[in-house]
Amino acid sequence: IEVNPNLPRTHGDTHVHISEIDYIVETNREIPVMPANLPEEKDYLIGSYVADLIEDGSTIQIGTGSIPSAVAQSLSHKKELGVHSEMFNDSILNLYEAGAITNRKKTIWKDKFITTVALGSKRLYDFLDDNMAVEFHRASVVNNPAIIGKNHKMVSINSALQVDLTGQCCAESIGPRLFSGTGGHKEFVTGAQESAGGKSILAFHSTTHNDKASHIVPWLETGTIVTTSRVDLDYVVTEYGVATLRGRSVRERIQELINISHPNFRDYLRSEVKRNMMW
């Protein structure tokens, strides 16, 4: 175990008995910090669309990056939000300081931030140090869908690498090539589905590589990992709007997703739908 006086002292399920430790390594190294993510204009558009879907009194899960940062800024006018999130970052701290987060309306761990890992600025670490309002728990607890779903109005906000026109989501690979791990994506989507008044939201840019490739595709390439099935998604958001998928037929899903794709790819998507009789 590493002992470092620069690390914040955290509360929750964080105690390890000395009898369980084989070696202690004392260090005085600086803690790694995450540079601030500066949102672009389209990030703010996405953030405003996502904020419109989130009601006062919701409990949120949010990740890291420019889009979550923009979402957090757009949520600053909300009231009585709570946090149950695998990641605790500066976006959450900013929302708390804006007065949007109180944790008072949470149905489990009322008045507490619940998280597993924190990564951000020194300001964030100073906030976490000996802060009894923040509890760290194991991922097997924080990411447990049965526990997540006990939060009233639980909202999961995640991203994706690709979504096909039926709503299948890939957040892990580009074709068969692994890009990232699963993380808490699937667990929080499932937990939000189990929550009374909950909803799952995917938010991402419509394109990548300077608008040369669409994130919304006719179908996922062979070998692509399906992170979240099409029946688990409620909303997909890009800079072009919101696709509402819950309870929709395949035909309706296709139209909703084409509507929020980049205009340069809409004709292509429609032609592939017609050619493969996906309607």
Side-chain angles (χ1 to χ4, degrees):
I1 191 169
E2 177 182 345
V3 175
N4 185 343
N6 295 319
L7 285 164
R9 180 176 185 266
T10 60
H11 294 267
D13 182 20
T14 57
H15 295 175
V16 180
H17 194 272
I18 191 70
S19 65
E20 298 179 87
I21 298 169
D22 295 311
Y23 297 97
I24 295 175
V25 179
E26 295 186 52
T27 74
N28 197 34
R29 64 187 179 91
E30 292 299 317
I31 307 171
V33 296
M34 174 74 78
N37 294 288
L38 301 177
E40 307 172 15
E41 181 180 354
K42 58 185 174 181
D43 296 326
Y44 287 116
L45 277 172
I46 294 170
S48 66
Y49 291 136
V50 171
D52 287 342
L53 298 171
I54 298 175
E55 304 170 53
D56 292 341
S58 296
T59 295
I60 61 171
Q61 170 257 328
I62 194 167
T64 188
S66 60
I67 292 177
S69 179
V71 169
Q73 291 185 47
S74 297
L75 288 171
S76 61
H77 66 286
K78 297 289 182 177
K79 298 178 176 62
E80 304 284 8
L81 297 179
V83 173
H84 183 115
S85 184
E86 181 181 25
M87 168 72 76
F88 196 117
N89 53 33
D90 284 86
S91 295
I92 292 174
L93 177 56
N94 292 339
L95 263 182
Y96 170 74
E97 292 181 340
I101 294 173
T102 65
N103 292 308
R104 287 195 294 248
K105 297 292 185 179
K106 293 180 68 179
T107 44
I108 56 172
W109 285 294
K110 186 176 178 291
D111 299 319
K112 299 278 190 178
F113 295 89
I114 298 300
T115 190
T116 292
V117 61
L119 185 59
S121 65
K122 185 177 185 303
R123 167 174 152 267
L124 173 69
Y125 301 145
D126 290 342
F127 173 79
L128 296 173
D129 187 37
D130 209 20
N131 189 338
M132 295 182 68
V134 186
E135 289 194 10
F136 285 75
H137 292 267
R138 302 165 196 261
S140 58
V141 173
V142 176
N143 290 21
N144 186 329
I147 294 174
I148 295 167
K150 291 180 181 179
N151 289 295
H152 182 57
K153 292 184 180 178
M154 181 72 212
V155 181
S156 68
I157 308 163
N158 290 292
S159 188
L161 295 173
Q162 286 185 328
V163 171
D164 76 11
L165 287 176
T166 70
Q168 290 188 114
C169 162
C170 169
E172 301 170 58
S173 72
I174 300 174
R177 183 165 62 89
L178 193 64
F179 185 81
S180 72
T182 306
H185 187 291
K186 173 62 176 173
E187 289 86 352
F188 276 93
V189 167
T190 303
Q193 293 288 318
E194 296 296 322
S195 165
K199 58 189 70 170
S200 61
I201 301 171
L202 281 189
F204 52 84
H205 296 159
S206 63
T207 59
T208 186
H209 300 313
N210 296 318
D211 297 337
K212 293 179 180 177
S214 176
H215 279 148
I216 296 174
V217 295
W219 51 79
L220 299 178
E221 179 185 339
T222 301
T224 300
I225 297 168
V226 177
T227 305
T228 300
S229 70
R230 66 187 182 91
V231 299
D232 290 324
L233 289 184
D234 293 328
Y235 301 98
V236 178
V237 181
T238 73
E239 68 271 28
Y240 292 101
V242 179
T244 304
L245 301 186
R246 179 182 281 193
R248 296 295 178 93
S249 67
V250 171
R251 177 186 289 271
E252 291 169 331
R253 286 166 171 265
I254 289 171
Q255 190 57 60
E256 286 278 311
L257 288 164
I258 289 177
N259 287 344
I260 66 164
S261 66
H262 193 285
N264 292 351
F265 292 93
R266 291 176 189 173
D267 287 343
Y268 161 71
L269 292 171
R270 290 190 186 101
S271 68
E272 288 300 289
V273 167
K274 184 176 181 180
R275 185 172 70 87
N276 292 278
M277 296 182 288
M278 295 171 66
W279 294 112

